Amino acid sequence: MSTPAPPTPWGTTTALAAGAATGVLLLAVGLVLGRADVALLGVPALISATWGWTHRPEAPVTAEVHDDPDAPPGTLGARLHLHGPAGAQTVRVRVVAPGGETAERVLHLTGGARDVGVRARSARTGALPAFRVDLLAYGVEGVQEHGPVTTTGAPLLVLPRPAALRDLPSSPRLRGLAGPRTSRRPGDGSELRDVAAFGPGDSARRVDWRATARRSPDLDTLYVRRTYGTAEATVVLVVDSRDDVGSDLTTWGAGAPRHDEPTSLDLARHAAASVAQTVLDAGDRVALDDLGRLHRPVRPGGGRRHLRRVLHGLALARPVGEPSARLRAPQVPAGSAVYVFSTLLDDGAPRLARQWHDAGHVVVVVDTLPPVSLADAEPRVTVAWRIARREREDRVATLRRAGVDVVRWTPHLPGRHDGRVGPTEPDRPHDDTLGPATALHLAARRRSRDRRTTTTARNAR
């Protein structure tokens, strides 16, 4: 809903005086000079001014800003409803987005009402301020004027927009009796396990007549094709919402981040949404947990509706009060893969990632800290960042030595428009030449190769 300002009465514009003065002047000149054609030129101006004055609107023009439920992820969306009384013809509207982007339009009030959709691309996600709408209404012939009137809508909730990814590291321990993946237990599937004699519980549809004719010419024994069953993988997304920092180092701890650049939490939402969409498109299940809040997590599920539920949960993730450390890792389903999205600015998330890894889970840590800019930073702030940078590098190295994959989620930052120039983050704890999709794909291939090597060595014994 919207919060309209107090109504402003209609006022007379200079068009009334200009039209009346022009009409009277032309009539007078035509009468003095005896020129009927000149006198007739003043008649339209007088009629226009008189018509606008006699059709003066009695009520103000109102504007309401409503949420747009059809707005796609990553987009600021709202519906602007304009309603004017009889006599109100045109409205000049200026819409200001939360990031400061402005758009102006002149609209004609057809039948006294008009609905307009407002959308803008947003580098930020989650809860954002509302649109601000400024309008100026005009009556018939522009003689009457109403405004300016300022209206604001309800706060917006911008869902993260998933990106396309390739293969993802997953756990070899599958769950369920059906799914897109082939398990190691017998069941109904497409991958052949073996050919055996027909026994109790076997279906007649599984009879292999060629194998039966080859092994039992007298048909005294039937042979069936037994397959491996299918199952599904479970992926748990763990978002560390305790930190929400931007690229500008001077805004850490105090000051608001830039609206045209994503923060670390925006990158975490985007990365988690991309992983969730890839996993759900493959037919697996996804769960969501937040390290910043002690609340009931989003339970594992699948399908398009569950993706919307996960995106909504990611958009609601935000820092609440002082960051709290969890002594014990949250419980996750057995055999699931855990993706941790964190800035790695403290030991909380890496410690929990090592606990999950030691428990036998496949763990992938996604580093969501944006490239840090040292522009306008004081020397003491620069020294503090260098210390924090070295600590981050040590945490990344420790995780990789423990067998945990660490991937940097690199954002696409728009160009700066404020003229600031300064060095960016000098540390290189990751290989930034690889994009996140390629890095995750290589991690998945590496785990699959190691899994095949282990299976081969076990069978050789």
Side-chain angles (χ1 to χ4, degrees):
M1 294 296 293
S2 60
T3 306
T8 305
W10 289 85
T12 304
T13 65
T14 57
L16 176 63
T22 302
V24 172
L25 179 61
L26 291 175
L27 285 175
V29 171
L31 293 176
V32 172
L33 299 179
R35 297 284 303 273
D37 54 344
V38 176
L40 290 176
L41 291 177
V43 175
L46 287 175
I47 294 177
S48 176
T50 304
W51 185 264
W53 174 258
T54 56
H55 289 76
R56 181 175 181 173
E58 299 296 336
V61 174
T62 60
E64 297 179 356
V65 183
H66 302 274
D67 296 336
D68 186 2
D70 298 329
T75 304
L76 299 169
R79 299 293 303 177
L80 177 61
H81 178 71
L82 302 175
H83 184 270
Q89 281 193 341
T90 58
V91 178
R92 183 178 180 181
V93 180
R94 179 175 63 184
V95 180
V96 182
E101 185 178 357
T102 304
E104 293 189 15
R105 295 290 187 273
V106 177
L107 305 175
H108 180 69
L109 291 179
T110 304
R114 186 73 180 270
D115 287 326
V116 181
V118 180
R119 290 186 180 180
R121 294 293 296 272
S122 175
R124 302 292 306 278
T125 55
L128 297 179
F131 283 101
R132 192 186 83 236
V133 179
D134 303 326
L135 62 90
L136 190 63
Y138 296 93
V140 178
E141 303 296 336
V143 172
Q144 301 295 328
E145 183 183 50
H146 168 62
V149 176
T150 300
T151 304
T152 57
L156 303 174
L157 186 66
V158 181
L159 303 181
R161 183 175 56 181
L165 299 177
R166 301 171 67 183
D167 297 337
L168 295 175
S170 60
S171 175
R173 301 169 59 185
L174 305 178
R175 304 186 63 184
L177 301 178
R181 303 176 184 271
T182 301
S183 64
R184 294 295 92 187
R185 58 173 177 78
D188 291 334
S190 59
E191 184 174 338
L192 178 64
R193 178 169 175 254
D194 58 10
V195 177
F198 188 91
D202 291 332
S203 173
R205 294 179 301 174
R206 293 287 183 178
V207 175
D208 189 341
W209 296 108
R210 291 185 179 181
T212 300
R214 185 172 58 254
R215 296 186 180 186
S216 179
D218 298 333
L219 299 181
D220 55 349
T221 303
L222 298 179
Y223 287 87
V224 294
R225 297 170 59 90
R226 298 192 301 183
T227 58
Y228 289 106
T230 58
E232 58 189 3
T234 302
V235 174
V236 180
L237 309 177
V238 181
V239 178
D240 187 1
S241 65
R242 299 174 301 159
D243 296 323
D244 189 13
V245 295
S247 300
D248 190 356
L249 193 63
T250 59
T251 61
W252 289 20
R258 296 169 56 97
H259 284 279
D260 57 348
E261 291 181 355
T263 63
S264 61
L265 192 52
D266 295 324
L267 296 181
R269 296 189 186 106
H270 183 232
S274 303
V275 173
Q277 177 175 268
T278 304
V279 172
L280 293 176
D281 288 345
D284 295 322
R285 299 167 65 86
V286 171
L288 174 64
D289 201 350
D290 187 358
L291 295 180
R293 295 189 298 173
L294 296 176
H295 70 294
R296 186 175 183 179
V298 178
R299 307 180 69 175
R304 305 302 301 178
R305 294 185 61 182
H306 187 70
L307 175 61
R308 194 75 178 184
R309 190 180 301 114
V310 171
L311 295 181
H312 190 269
L314 290 172
L316 294 178
R318 61 184 179 85
V320 179
E322 292 294 330
S324 58
R326 295 197 180 189
L327 300 180
R328 297 182 58 185
Q331 293 184 356
V332 298
S336 59
V338 182
Y339 284 75
V340 182
F341 305 88
S342 174
T343 59
L344 304 179
L345 290 175
D346 58 13
D347 295 326
R351 177 175 51 82
L352 298 180
R354 291 194 300 270
Q355 292 182 16
W356 281 313
H357 179 267
D358 295 340
H361 297 281
V362 173
V363 181
V364 179
V365 175
V366 180
D367 184 3
T368 60
L369 184 69
V372 175
S373 172
L374 302 179
D376 303 330
E378 299 179 359
R380 59 184 181 86
V381 177
T382 304
V383 173
W385 162 243
R386 290 175 180 174
I387 296 174
R389 181 194 66 199
R390 297 302 179 186
E391 293 176 347
R392 271 174 36 87
E393 294 177 357
D394 293 341
R395 296 186 187 101
V396 172
T398 302
L399 288 172
R400 286 178 171 168
R401 284 195 301 267
V404 178
D405 292 316
V406 183
V407 177
R408 178 72 172 272
W409 193 271
T410 54
H412 175 68
L413 295 178
R416 295 183 180 273
H417 304 288
D418 56 2
R420 296 189 306 164
V421 179
T424 55
E425 180 184 14
D427 66 327
R428 287 291 182 267
H430 312 275
D431 186 3
D432 290 344
T433 60
L434 298 177
T438 304
L440 290 172
H441 173 67
L442 293 178
R445 293 183 57 183
R446 183 171 57 253
R447 286 189 175 274
S448 178
R449 183 176 61 252
D450 295 343
R451 193 176 304 143
R452 289 195 301 267
T453 303
T454 303
T455 302
T456 303
R458 185 183 302 112
N459 294 335
R461 298 196 197 101

